[in-house]
Structure formats: C-alpha cells, structure tokens
CSV table of all heavy atoms in Angstrom, one decimal:
chain,number,residue,atom,x,y,z
O,1,ASP,N,4.3,15.9,18.2
O,1,ASP,CA,4.3,17.2,17.6
O,1,ASP,C,4.3,17.1,16.1
O,1,ASP,O,5.2,16.5,15.5
O,1,ASP,CB,5.6,17.9,18.1
O,1,ASP,CG,5.6,19.4,17.7
O,1,ASP,OD1,5.0,19.8,16.6
O,1,ASP,OD2,6.3,20.2,18.4
O,2,VAL,N,3.3,17.7,15.4
O,2,VAL,CA,3.2,17.6,13.9
O,2,VAL,C,3.2,19.0,13.3
O,2,VAL,O,2.7,19.2,12.2
O,2,VAL,CB,2.0,16.8,13.5
O,2,VAL,CG1,2.2,15.3,13.9
O,2,VAL,CG2,0.7,17.4,14.1
O,3,THR,N,3.8,19.9,14.0
O,3,THR,CA,3.8,21.3,13.6
O,3,THR,C,4.3,21.5,12.2
O,3,THR,O,3.8,22.2,11.3
O,3,THR,CB,4.6,22.2,14.5
O,3,THR,OG1,4.1,22.1,15.9
O,3,THR,CG2,4.6,23.7,14.1
O,4,ARG,N,5.4,20.7,11.9
O,4,ARG,CA,6.1,20.9,10.6
O,4,ARG,C,5.6,19.8,9.5
O,4,ARG,O,6.2,19.7,8.5
O,4,ARG,CB,7.6,20.8,10.7
O,4,ARG,CG,8.1,21.9,11.6
O,4,ARG,CD,9.6,21.9,11.7
O,4,ARG,NE,10.2,23.0,12.5
O,4,ARG,CZ,11.5,23.2,12.7
O,4,ARG,NH1,12.4,22.4,12.1
O,4,ARG,NH2,11.9,24.2,13.4
O,5,VAL,N,4.6,19.1,9.9
O,5,VAL,CA,4.1,18.1,9.0
O,5,VAL,C,3.0,18.7,8.1
O,5,VAL,O,1.9,19.0,8.6
O,5,VAL,CB,3.5,16.9,9.7
O,5,VAL,CG1,3.0,15.8,8.7
O,5,VAL,CG2,4.6,16.2,10.6
O,6,ARG,N,3.3,18.9,6.8
O,6,ARG,CA,2.4,19.6,5.9
O,6,ARG,C,1.0,18.9,5.8
O,6,ARG,O,0.0,19.5,5.6
O,6,ARG,CB,3.0,19.8,4.5
O,6,ARG,CG,4.0,20.9,4.5
O,6,ARG,CD,4.5,21.1,3.0
O,6,ARG,NE,3.4,21.3,2.1
O,6,ARG,CZ,2.8,22.5,2.0
O,6,ARG,NH1,3.2,23.5,2.7
O,6,ARG,NH2,1.8,22.6,1.1
O,7,ALA,N,1.0,17.6,5.9
O,7,ALA,CA,-0.2,16.8,5.8
O,7,ALA,C,-1.3,17.3,6.8
O,7,ALA,O,-2.5,17.1,6.6
O,7,ALA,CB,0.0,15.3,6.0
O,8,PHE,N,-0.8,17.8,7.9
O,8,PHE,CA,-1.8,18.3,9.0
O,8,PHE,C,-2.0,19.8,9.0
O,8,PHE,O,-2.7,20.3,9.9
O,8,PHE,CB,-1.3,17.8,10.3
O,8,PHE,CG,-1.3,16.3,10.5
O,8,PHE,CD1,-0.1,15.6,10.7
O,8,PHE,CD2,-2.5,15.6,10.5
O,8,PHE,CE1,-0.1,14.2,10.8
O,8,PHE,CE2,-2.5,14.3,10.7
O,8,PHE,CZ,-1.3,13.6,10.8
O,9,HIS,N,-1.5,20.5,7.9
O,9,HIS,CA,-1.9,21.9,7.8
O,9,HIS,C,-3.3,21.9,7.3
O,9,HIS,O,-3.7,21.2,6.3
O,9,HIS,CB,-0.9,22.6,6.8
O,9,HIS,CG,0.4,22.7,7.3
O,9,HIS,ND1,1.5,23.3,6.7
O,9,HIS,CD2,1.0,22.2,8.5
O,9,HIS,CE1,2.6,23.3,7.4
O,9,HIS,NE2,2.3,22.6,8.5
O,10,ASN,N,-4.1,22.8,7.8
O,10,ASN,CA,-5.5,22.9,7.4
O,10,ASN,C,-5.7,23.2,5.9
O,10,ASN,O,-6.6,22.6,5.2
O,10,ASN,CB,-6.3,24.0,8.2
O,10,ASN,CG,-6.6,23.6,9.6
O,10,ASN,OD1,-7.4,22.7,9.8
O,10,ASN,ND2,-5.9,24.3,10.5
O,11,SER,N,-4.8,24.0,5.3
O,11,SER,CA,-4.9,24.2,3.9
O,11,SER,C,-4.6,23.0,3.0
O,11,SER,O,-5.1,22.9,1.9
O,11,SER,CB,-3.9,25.3,3.5
O,11,SER,OG,-2.5,25.0,3.8
O,12,VAL,N,-3.9,22.0,3.6
O,12,VAL,CA,-3.6,20.8,2.9
O,12,VAL,C,-4.8,19.8,3.1
O,12,VAL,O,-5.2,19.1,2.2
O,12,VAL,CB,-2.3,20.2,3.3
O,12,VAL,CG1,-2.1,18.8,2.7
O,12,VAL,CG2,-1.1,21.1,3.0
O,13,ILE,N,-5.2,19.7,4.4
O,13,ILE,CA,-6.4,18.9,4.7
O,13,ILE,C,-7.6,19.2,3.8
O,13,ILE,O,-8.3,18.3,3.4
O,13,ILE,CB,-6.7,19.0,6.2
O,13,ILE,CG1,-5.6,18.5,7.1
O,13,ILE,CG2,-8.0,18.3,6.5
O,13,ILE,CD1,-5.8,18.7,8.5
O,14,ALA,N,-7.8,20.5,3.5
O,14,ALA,CA,-8.9,20.9,2.7
O,14,ALA,C,-8.9,20.3,1.3
O,14,ALA,O,-9.9,20.2,0.6
O,14,ALA,CB,-8.9,22.4,2.6
O,15,ARG,N,-7.7,19.9,0.8
O,15,ARG,CA,-7.5,19.4,-0.5
O,15,ARG,C,-7.7,17.9,-0.5
O,15,ARG,O,-7.7,17.3,-1.6
O,15,ARG,CB,-6.2,19.7,-1.1
O,15,ARG,CG,-5.8,21.2,-1.1
O,15,ARG,CD,-4.4,21.4,-1.6
O,15,ARG,NE,-4.0,22.8,-1.4
O,15,ARG,CZ,-2.8,23.3,-1.6
O,15,ARG,NH1,-1.8,22.4,-2.0
O,15,ARG,NH2,-2.5,24.5,-1.4
O,16,THR,N,-7.9,17.3,0.6
O,16,THR,CA,-8.1,15.8,0.7
O,16,THR,C,-9.5,15.4,0.9
O,16,THR,O,-10.4,16.3,1.3
O,16,THR,CB,-7.3,15.2,1.8
O,16,THR,OG1,-7.8,15.7,3.1
O,16,THR,CG2,-5.8,15.7,1.7
O,17,GLU,N,-9.8,14.2,0.6
O,17,GLU,CA,-11.2,13.7,0.7
O,17,GLU,C,-11.5,12.7,1.8
O,17,GLU,O,-12.6,12.2,1.9
O,17,GLU,CB,-11.6,13.0,-0.7
O,17,GLU,CG,-11.7,14.0,-1.8
O,17,GLU,CD,-12.8,15.1,-1.5
O,17,GLU,OE1,-13.9,14.7,-1.0
O,17,GLU,OE2,-12.6,16.3,-1.8
O,18,SER,N,-10.5,12.4,2.6
O,18,SER,CA,-10.7,11.4,3.7
O,18,SER,C,-9.6,11.5,4.7
O,18,SER,O,-8.5,12.1,4.4
O,18,SER,CB,-10.8,10.0,3.1
O,18,SER,OG,-9.5,9.6,2.6
O,19,VAL,N,-9.8,10.9,5.9
O,19,VAL,CA,-8.7,10.8,6.9
O,19,VAL,C,-7.6,10.0,6.3
O,19,VAL,O,-6.4,10.3,6.5
O,19,VAL,CB,-9.3,10.2,8.2
O,19,VAL,CG1,-8.2,9.9,9.2
O,19,VAL,CG2,-10.3,11.1,8.8
O,20,MET,N,-7.9,8.9,5.6
O,20,MET,CA,-6.9,8.1,5.1
O,20,MET,C,-6.0,8.8,4.1
O,20,MET,O,-4.8,8.5,4.0
O,20,MET,CB,-7.5,6.8,4.4
O,20,MET,CG,-8.2,5.9,5.4
O,20,MET,SD,-7.1,5.4,6.7
O,20,MET,CE,-5.7,4.8,5.8
O,21,GLU,N,-6.6,9.7,3.3
O,21,GLU,CA,-5.7,10.5,2.4
O,21,GLU,C,-4.8,11.4,3.1
O,21,GLU,O,-3.6,11.6,2.7
O,21,GLU,CB,-6.6,11.3,1.4
O,21,GLU,CG,-5.9,11.8,0.2
O,21,GLU,CD,-6.8,12.4,-0.8
O,21,GLU,OE1,-8.0,12.2,-0.7
O,21,GLU,OE2,-6.3,13.1,-1.7
O,22,VAL,N,-5.2,12.0,4.2
O,22,VAL,CA,-4.3,12.8,5.0
O,22,VAL,C,-3.2,11.9,5.5
O,22,VAL,O,-2.0,12.3,5.5
O,22,VAL,CB,-5.1,13.4,6.2
O,22,VAL,CG1,-4.1,14.1,7.2
O,22,VAL,CG2,-6.2,14.3,5.7
O,23,LEU,N,-3.5,10.7,6.0
O,23,LEU,CA,-2.4,9.9,6.6
O,23,LEU,C,-1.5,9.4,5.5
O,23,LEU,O,-0.3,9.1,5.7
O,23,LEU,CB,-3.0,8.7,7.3
O,23,LEU,CG,-3.8,9.1,8.5
O,23,LEU,CD1,-4.5,7.9,9.2
O,23,LEU,CD2,-2.9,9.8,9.6
O,24,THR,N,-2.0,9.2,4.3
O,24,THR,CA,-1.2,8.8,3.1
O,24,THR,C,-0.2,9.9,2.9
O,24,THR,O,1.0,9.6,2.6
O,24,THR,CB,-2.0,8.6,1.9
O,24,THR,OG1,-2.9,7.5,2.1
O,24,THR,CG2,-1.2,8.2,0.7
O,25,LEU,N,-0.6,11.2,2.9
O,25,LEU,CA,0.3,12.3,2.7
O,25,LEU,C,1.4,12.3,3.8
O,25,LEU,O,2.5,12.7,3.6
O,25,LEU,CB,-0.5,13.6,2.6
O,25,LEU,CG,-1.4,13.8,1.4
O,25,LEU,CD1,-2.2,15.1,1.6
O,25,LEU,CD2,-0.5,13.9,0.1
O,26,TRP,N,1.0,11.9,5.0
O,26,TRP,CA,1.9,11.9,6.1
O,26,TRP,C,3.0,10.9,6.0
O,26,TRP,O,4.0,10.9,6.5
O,26,TRP,CB,1.1,11.7,7.4
O,26,TRP,CG,1.8,11.8,8.7
O,26,TRP,CD1,2.9,12.6,8.9
O,26,TRP,CD2,1.5,11.2,9.9
O,26,TRP,NE1,3.3,12.4,10.2
O,26,TRP,CE2,2.4,11.6,10.9
O,26,TRP,CE3,0.4,10.3,10.3
O,26,TRP,CZ2,2.4,11.2,12.2
O,26,TRP,CZ3,0.4,9.9,11.6
O,26,TRP,CH2,1.4,10.3,12.6
O,27,GLY,N,2.7,9.9,5.1
O,27,GLY,CA,3.6,8.8,4.9
O,27,GLY,C,3.6,7.7,5.9
O,27,GLY,O,4.5,6.9,6.0
O,28,ARG,N,2.4,7.6,6.7
O,28,ARG,CA,2.3,6.5,7.6
O,28,ARG,C,1.5,5.3,7.1
O,28,ARG,O,1.3,4.4,7.8
O,28,ARG,CB,1.6,7.0,8.9
O,28,ARG,CG,2.4,8.1,9.6
O,28,ARG,CD,3.7,7.5,10.1
O,28,ARG,NE,4.6,8.5,10.8
O,28,ARG,CZ,4.6,8.7,12.1
O,28,ARG,NH1,3.8,8.1,12.9
O,28,ARG,NH2,5.4,9.6,12.6
O,29,VAL,N,1.1,5.4,5.8
O,29,VAL,CA,0.4,4.3,5.2
O,29,VAL,C,1.1,4.0,3.8
O,29,VAL,O,1.7,4.8,3.2
O,29,VAL,CB,-1.1,4.5,5.0
O,29,VAL,CG1,-1.8,4.7,6.3
O,29,VAL,CG2,-1.3,5.7,4.1
O,30,ASN,N,1.0,2.7,3.4
O,30,ASN,CA,1.5,2.3,2.1
O,30,ASN,C,0.4,2.5,1.1
O,30,ASN,O,-0.5,1.6,0.9
O,30,ASN,CB,2.0,0.8,2.1
O,30,ASN,CG,3.3,0.7,2.9
O,30,ASN,OD1,4.1,1.6,2.8
O,30,ASN,ND2,3.4,-0.4,3.5
O,31,SER,N,0.3,3.6,0.4
O,31,SER,CA,-0.8,3.8,-0.4
O,31,SER,C,-0.5,4.9,-1.4
O,31,SER,O,0.2,5.9,-1.1
O,31,SER,CB,-2.1,4.3,0.4
O,31,SER,OG,-3.1,4.6,-0.5
O,32,LYS,N,-1.0,4.7,-2.7
O,32,LYS,CA,-0.9,5.8,-3.7
O,32,LYS,C,-2.2,6.5,-3.9
O,32,LYS,O,-2.3,7.5,-4.6
O,32,LYS,CB,-0.4,5.2,-5.0
O,32,LYS,CG,1.0,4.6,-5.0
O,32,LYS,CD,1.4,4.0,-6.3
O,32,LYS,CE,2.8,3.4,-6.2
O,32,LYS,NZ,3.2,2.8,-7.5
O,33,THR,N,-3.3,5.9,-3.4
O,33,THR,CA,-4.6,6.5,-3.5
O,33,THR,C,-5.3,6.4,-2.1
O,33,THR,O,-4.9,5.6,-1.3
O,33,THR,CB,-5.5,5.8,-4.5
O,33,THR,OG1,-5.6,4.4,-4.1
O,33,THR,CG2,-4.8,5.9,-5.9
O,34,PRO,N,-6.4,7.2,-1.9
O,34,PRO,CA,-7.1,7.0,-0.6
O,34,PRO,C,-7.5,5.6,-0.4
O,34,PRO,O,-7.9,4.9,-1.3
O,34,PRO,CB,-8.3,7.9,-0.8
O,34,PRO,CG,-7.8,9.0,-1.8
O,34,PRO,CD,-6.9,8.2,-2.7
O,35,ALA,N,-7.4,5.2,0.9
O,35,ALA,CA,-7.6,3.8,1.2
O,35,ALA,C,-9.0,3.3,1.1
O,35,ALA,O,-10.0,4.0,1.4
O,35,ALA,CB,-7.1,3.5,2.6
O,36,GLY,N,-9.2,2.1,0.6
O,36,GLY,CA,-10.5,1.5,0.6
O,36,GLY,C,-10.6,0.5,1.7
O,36,GLY,O,-9.6,0.3,2.5
O,37,ALA,N,-11.7,-0.2,1.9
O,37,ALA,CA,-11.9,-1.1,3.0
O,37,ALA,C,-10.8,-2.2,3.1
O,37,ALA,O,-10.5,-2.6,4.2
O,37,ALA,CB,-13.3,-1.6,3.0
O,38,GLY,N,-10.4,-2.6,2.0
O,38,GLY,CA,-9.4,-3.8,2.0
O,38,GLY,C,-8.0,-3.4,1.8
O,38,GLY,O,-7.1,-4.2,1.7
O,39,GLU,N,-7.7,-2.1,1.7
O,39,GLU,CA,-6.3,-1.7,1.4
O,39,GLU,C,-5.4,-1.9,2.6
O,39,GLU,O,-5.8,-1.7,3.7
O,39,GLU,CB,-6.3,-0.2,1.0
O,39,GLU,CG,-4.9,0.3,0.6
O,39,GLU,CD,-5.0,1.7,0.0
O,39,GLU,OE1,-6.1,2.1,-0.4
O,39,GLU,OE2,-3.9,2.3,0.0
O,40,MET,N,-4.2,-2.4,2.3
O,40,MET,CA,-3.3,-2.8,3.4
O,40,MET,C,-2.4,-1.6,3.8
O,40,MET,O,-1.9,-0.9,2.9
O,40,MET,CB,-2.4,-4.0,2.9
O,40,MET,CG,-3.2,-5.2,2.6
O,40,MET,SD,-4.3,-5.8,3.9
O,40,MET,CE,-3.0,-6.3,5.1
O,41,LEU,N,-2.2,-1.4,5.1
O,41,LEU,CA,-1.4,-0.4,5.6
O,41,LEU,C,-0.1,-1.0,6.1
O,41,LEU,O,0.1,-2.3,6.1
O,41,LEU,CB,-2.1,0.3,6.7
O,41,LEU,CG,-3.5,0.8,6.5
O,41,LEU,CD1,-4.0,1.6,7.7
O,41,LEU,CD2,-3.5,1.7,5.2
O,42,LYS,N,0.9,-0.2,6.5
O,42,LYS,CA,2.1,-0.7,7.1
O,42,LYS,C,1.7,-1.6,8.4
O,42,LYS,O,0.9,-1.2,9.1
O,42,LYS,CB,3.0,0.4,7.5
O,42,LYS,CG,3.6,1.2,6.3
O,42,LYS,CD,4.5,2.3,6.8
O,42,LYS,CE,5.0,3.1,5.6
O,42,LYS,NZ,5.9,4.2,6.0
O,43,GLY,N,2.4,-2.7,8.5
O,43,GLY,CA,2.0,-3.6,9.6
O,43,GLY,C,0.9,-4.5,9.2
O,43,GLY,O,0.4,-5.2,10.1
O,44,GLU,N,0.5,-4.6,8.0
O,44,GLU,CA,-0.5,-5.5,7.5
O,44,GLU,C,-1.8,-5.3,8.2
O,44,GLU,O,-2.5,-6.3,8.5
O,44,GLU,CB,0.0,-6.9,7.6
O,44,GLU,CG,1.2,-7.2,6.7
O,44,GLU,CD,1.6,-8.7,6.8
O,44,GLU,OE1,1.0,-9.4,7.6
O,44,GLU,OE2,2.4,-9.1,6.0
O,45,LYS,N,-2.2,-4.1,8.4
O,45,LYS,CA,-3.5,-3.7,9.0
O,45,LYS,C,-4.4,-3.1,7.9
O,45,LYS,O,-3.9,-2.3,7.1
O,45,LYS,CB,-3.4,-2.8,10.2
O,45,LYS,CG,-2.7,-3.5,11.4
O,45,LYS,CD,-2.7,-2.5,12.5
O,45,LYS,CE,-2.2,-3.1,13.8
O,45,LYS,NZ,-0.9,-3.7,13.7
O,46,ARG,N,-5.7,-3.4,7.9
O,46,ARG,CA,-6.6,-2.9,6.9
O,46,ARG,C,-7.0,-1.5,7.3
O,46,ARG,O,-7.1,-1.2,8.5
O,46,ARG,CB,-7.8,-3.8,6.7
O,46,ARG,CG,-7.4,-5.1,6.1
O,46,ARG,CD,-8.7,-5.9,5.8
O,46,ARG,NE,-9.6,-5.9,7.0
O,46,ARG,CZ,-10.9,-5.7,7.0
O,46,ARG,NH1,-11.5,-5.4,5.8
O,46,ARG,NH2,-11.6,-5.7,8.1
O,47,ALA,N,-7.3,-0.6,6.3
O,47,ALA,CA,-7.9,0.7,6.7
O,47,ALA,C,-9.1,0.6,7.5
O,47,ALA,O,-9.4,1.4,8.4
O,47,ALA,CB,-8.1,1.5,5.4
C-alpha cells in the first residue's frame, strides 16, 4: 500500500524524468540524482 507515499502521486510523478527518479523520491535507492547505468542502489545492485 503506497497511498500515502507522495512519490507515487501522479502530480509528483509528472515532475520526474524516469522510474529511477520516482524510486529515489520514495527513498528505496541511494541516490541524489536520477540513476545512470552504473549507479549503485541499496543492496549493491545497479540501476
């Protein structure tokens, strides 16, 4: 349930440029900018 997660509100998604940026706002990735191909996420997995 992500009802209260602002990152998944359509009005917020519209301001982002990628799926990775949405997930960054959600706080599930270690990132300050939208992920590139080599950017590391939590658990040492690449985007």
